[in-house]
Amino acid sequence: MMRTTDVTSGKRGLASFDVAIPSCGETLAGDLTVPQDAGGLVLFAHGSGSSRHSPRNRYVASVLHEAGLATLLMDLLTMDEETVDARTGHLRFDIALLAERLVAATD
């Protein structure tokens, strides 16, 4: 079950939520933004070396909002996992783990 915290944007007709996505015994962080009467959802999944806070991806998300699409920007690794992966590089290539987390976000 995804948990949300409403952090509604100041922009008219645009609702934003901090979301917590349970997956594989961990909780993944995400930012869900939904324009009024959204016609679909685009999922931005970030692995090692990138995050949902990337200015480039936030810009692309804002253009999608203007087109009437909702976005979910999420990190596939927790902060602790990201720290480990920066040293070892092993989680960024764990395709089964990353795929399971993508499925959790879409359920």
Side-chain angles (χ1 to χ4, degrees), residues 65-102:
H65 301 152
E66 291 174 14
L69 295 169
T71 59
L72 173 60
L73 284 75
M74 65 174 287
D75 296 322
L76 293 176
L77 300 177
T78 66
M79 290 178 62
D80 289 341
E81 290 170 337
E82 180 72 31
T83 300
V84 169
D85 192 68
R87 289 191 318 270
T88 67
H90 77 281
L91 292 173
R92 71 186 77 183
F93 298 113
D94 188 339
I95 303 306
L97 172 71
L98 301 176
E100 187 171 340
R101 290 180 174 183
L102 282 171

Side-chain angles (χ1 to χ4, degrees), residues 2-101:
M2 186 183 304
R3 294 187 319 258
T4 63
T5 303
D6 187 350
V7 291
T8 302
S9 169
K11 293 183 179 180
R12 188 170 169 217
L14 196 63
S16 296
F17 306 89
D18 291 331
V19 296
I21 305 161
S23 177
C24 307
E26 299 290 344
T27 301
L28 306 174
D31 299 324
L32 176 65
T33 304
V34 184
Q36 187 173 355
D37 299 322
L41 172 73
V42 176
L43 173 63
F44 289 69
H46 301 279
S48 182
S50 180
S51 84
R52 68 188 189 282
H53 301 293
S54 161
R56 176 180 47 214
N57 291 322
R58 288 201 169 274
Y59 170 75
V60 172
S62 73
V63 172
L64 293 170
H65 301 152
E66 291 174 14
L69 295 169
T71 59
L72 173 60
L73 284 75
M74 65 174 287
D75 296 322
L76 293 176
L77 300 177
T78 66
M79 290 178 62
D80 289 341
E81 290 170 337
E82 180 72 31
T83 300
V84 169
D85 192 68
R87 289 191 318 270
T88 67
H90 77 281
L91 292 173
R92 71 186 77 183
F93 298 113
D94 188 339
I95 303 306
L97 172 71
L98 301 176
E100 187 171 340
R101 290 180 174 183

